[in-house]
Amino acid sequence: MVELKTDTSIEAMREAGRVVARALTAVRDAAAVGVVLRDLDEVAHQVLKDAGATSPFLHYHPAFAPVPFPATLITSVNDAIVHGIPDGYRLRDGDLVSADFGASLNGWVGDSAISFVVGTPRPEDTLLIKTAEQALEAGIAAAVVGNRIGDIAHAVGTVCRDGGYGIPDGFGGHGVGRSMHEDPGVPNEGRPGRGMPLRHGMVLAIEPMLIAGGKDGYHAAPDGWTLRTNDGSRAAHVEHTVAITDAGPRILTAL
């Protein structure tokens, strides 16, 4: 069931979204050669505490995972697509990092992700991230009253495929509200004009995931959480929480 949020609820979600944006900015600023991923989780966790917010990621335990997620921040490095656990890995020059973060504030959730390179970027990584961001922008532009979920999926998928990138099947966006994952699902590829109609008050996480090698294959790492590309190529993941309104899409997780 899809819950339509009131304008007051959307404003409350915007406050949660601001916490997420501040945390991801702090993580990007703190990420440098030699920094340990676990320390980035502490940076993000401190932003939560300062805001009086809590983490919807910490101790989250979906059916596919062998253990609850042990951190507040997701850090997926290089060939990791999503769900990477921030551990003792020390960042190296040229690492591509996708950071995914959520915040719960006053009963409402915000969810967002960014991708960036630590140190000296490779041109192909810069292009991968830029294309992911363009796919996100295209998906947001399609998130208007009167369109359908398939229009968002088609917009995202077209940018990804036109760039020659792979899309991990079965992973995409979702509804957001009082919990991190709500209906409806928002695929990263689909047919326009299909799926649930978009209405004022729907709030969606739109999150393109791109695989540089052009293939869609992935596998779970031994930790049971991290998803890695089958071909070892790098991946990028970006995301915003977006409210569908009569005035157009409103990004709730921007600074």
Side-chain angles (χ1 to χ4, degrees):
M1 184 175 114
V2 175
E3 177 193 1
L4 298 179
K5 279 71 176 179
T6 65
D7 292 346
T8 300
S9 297
I10 290 173
E11 289 299 328
M13 293 189 70
R14 174 65 177 127
E15 293 308 308
R18 285 193 174 97
V19 176
V20 175
R22 290 199 299 269
L24 288 175
T25 299
V27 166
R28 192 202 309 253
D29 290 345
V33 175
V35 171
V36 174
L37 293 180
R38 195 177 291 115
D39 293 339
L40 295 182
D41 180 58
E42 286 300 318
V43 168
H45 196 189
Q46 188 62 51
V47 174
L48 276 185
K49 290 190 285 187
D50 291 345
T54 59
S55 172
F57 290 7
L58 183 63
H59 305 315
Y60 178 60
H61 196 179
F64 68 80
V67 296
F69 194 76
T72 64
L73 177 71
I74 291 171
T75 52
S76 306
V77 180
N78 296 333
D79 67 328
I81 307 167
V82 287
H83 301 165
I85 297 172
D87 54 16
Y89 178 81
R90 196 174 296 275
L91 289 170
R92 303 170 184 173
D93 186 51
D95 277 345
L96 195 166
V97 179
S98 295
D100 189 355
F101 191 72
S104 298
L105 183 67
N106 298 322
W108 296 100
V109 174
D111 186 11
S112 183
I114 58 174
S115 288
F116 56 89
V117 174
V118 175
T120 308
R122 306 188 306 184
E124 56 267 36
D125 291 341
T126 300
L127 180 59
L128 174 66
I129 294 170
K130 180 180 179 181
T131 305
E133 292 170 345
Q134 290 173 338
L136 177 57
E137 291 170 2
I140 293 170
V144 297
V145 173
N147 271 359
R148 292 176 176 266
I149 292 291
D151 294 303
I152 298 175
H154 177 72
V156 170
T158 296
V159 174
C160 296
R161 295 301 189 191
D162 285 353
Y165 298 113
I167 301 171
D169 184 46
F171 285 86
H174 48 87
V176 185
R178 294 194 177 275
S179 64
M180 179 171 56
H181 291 134
E182 297 184 353
D183 291 332
V186 187
N188 283 328
E189 194 166 31
R191 297 176 64 182
R194 298 295 184 92
M196 181 177 293
L198 303 180
R199 298 171 58 191
H200 178 91
M202 293 175 68
V203 180
L204 308 173
I206 301 173
E207 49 180 321
M209 303 169 196
L210 281 65
I211 298 174
K215 304 294 185 181
D216 299 349
Y218 62 89
H219 62 276
D223 63 23
W225 273 100
T226 309
L227 298 184
R228 297 190 178 277
T229 62
N230 281 349
D231 60 7
S233 66
R234 294 187 169 197
H237 172 213
V238 294
E239 175 185 17
H240 269 309
T241 297
V242 181
I244 313 297
T245 79
D246 289 330
R250 183 182 179 191
I251 301 173
L252 303 182
T253 43
L255 276 176

